[in-house]
Structure formats: structure tokens, C-alpha cells
Amino acid sequence: MTDGDRNMVVVARLRAAPLVGWQFACAVLLGVLLVRLDWGGDPVDAFWNMVFGQPLLLLAIAAVLGVWAYVLGMWRRRGDYLRHDGVTLYRGTSARWPLALVRDVVVARGNLGLESLRLVVDDDSEVTRELVKLYMLEGPPAVARDGVMFAAARAGGVMRPVTVH
């Protein structure tokens, strides 16, 4: 079943500026790494030098391309990044949780000091799941939290007072 088969409700959108900034940073870093590659000699020698002479540089290029692909996926889903269909909560295309298991949405500070909305799920684990970094949200975090909690209450979850921690 695809998203078009269900009635999706958008809970939160992403701002465009941080996504454009991440894409620009990836493009610049990729350019710098490509310039550092040794392209000299015939194509076979250049290939062997890149694969066996500069493997860390090649791994760095692969990592930058992976981050860029992830950011492009976020860009594609920025208008409906957090959404639900009445049964399941979706974050982009990568994560989903049953709304009946959602207990709370909290604001927490991560290891780097960046605040994010985190999901408390009743699945016998002590770990919260990150929904989105606050700097990426288009609106206030209270609106996204209220939307998730309202959807969870309608799906059979526990009704809790709605406040941002």
C-alpha cells in the first residue's frame, strides 16, 4: 500500500533553508575531495591509484554522497516530513511507528547540544526516537507535538495533557 492509498494528515513540515545549506555544504566538500584525487596518468593507473593508493579519500567521497542523498530525500519530503494516516506515524520515508504505542513527544537536547523532538514509544525500551531537529521545523515545536499527541489519542493511545517540556 502506498501513501496515495491512505488519507495522510501532515503534522510537521521542514524549513527549506537548513536543507539548502546542507546540500551546499555537501557539494563544496565533494568538490574539495574530488580535486584532491590523483587523476594523473592513463585511466587504468588513475583507477588503481584511487582504489588502492587513496582508499580513505574514496571512502570520504562515498560518505559525502550518502549524506547528500539523505538530505535530498529530506528535501523531497519537506512538505510532509511528519505525517500520519490515523494508524501509523511516519517520519520521511525512513521510519514509522504505530500511533497506539506513542506515549509522549518531548523536547530533548542531544550529544552536540542541538534540541530535537523525540518520540516516547511504549515498546519496552528505554530509548526515545528522534522525530526532527528543532532548527529544521517550519513551525513551533508545540504544534508538531500537539499534532502527534492528538493523532495518538484518536488511535487509541493514552490521552495526556499537551505541553512542551
Side-chain angles (χ1 to χ4, degrees), residues 10-13 82 89 105 117 131-132 134 137-151 162 164:
V10 175
V11 176
R13 292 175 171 82
L82 290 179
L89 176 67
V105 178
L117 276 181
L131 286 175
V132 65
L134 291 188
L137 276 177
E138 187 175 82
V143 173
R145 182 187 187 283
D146 291 349
V148 171
M149 294 308 297
F150 181 75
V162 178
V164 175

Side-chain angles (χ1 to χ4, degrees), residues 8-150:
M8 289 290 183
V9 176
V10 175
V11 176
R13 292 175 171 82
L14 297 180
R15 292 177 35 210
L19 293 172
V20 170
W22 278 108
Q23 289 179 42
F24 180 74
C26 286
V28 168
L29 187 55
L30 183 64
V32 167
L33 291 172
L34 287 175
V35 166
R36 292 187 52 107
L37 276 176
D38 185 12
W39 297 95
D42 61 15
V44 174
D45 287 339
F47 173 76
W48 285 108
N49 188 29
M50 281 188 262
V51 172
F52 297 111
Q54 301 172 334
L56 292 179
L57 195 57
L58 219 52
L59 288 174
I61 289 172
V64 168
L65 288 174
V67 169
W68 202 351
Y70 178 74
V71 172
L72 285 175
M74 289 176 69
W75 177 263
R76 211 178 102 240
R77 298 297 314 213
R78 74 185 181 280
D80 60 347
Y81 190 68
L82 290 179
R83 62 196 186 288
H84 72 86
D85 61 0
V87 177
T88 307
L89 176 67
Y90 300 92
R91 179 189 69 202
T93 57
S94 62
R96 62 186 70 201
W97 301 275
L99 281 170
L101 295 180
V102 173
R103 295 295 169 241
D104 200 5
V105 178
V106 295
V107 175
R109 190 175 301 274
N111 293 338
L112 297 176
L114 296 174
E115 289 185 332
S116 63
L117 276 181
R118 298 190 68 87
L119 190 65
V120 179
V121 179
D122 187 23
D123 63 355
D124 296 331
S125 84
E126 300 292 324
V127 179
T128 59
R129 278 72 172 188
E130 182 174 304
L131 286 175
V132 65
K133 301 273 188 222
L134 291 188
Y135 75 90
M136 299 288 289
L137 276 177
E138 187 175 82
V143 173
R145 182 187 187 283
D146 291 349
V148 171
M149 294 308 297
F150 181 75

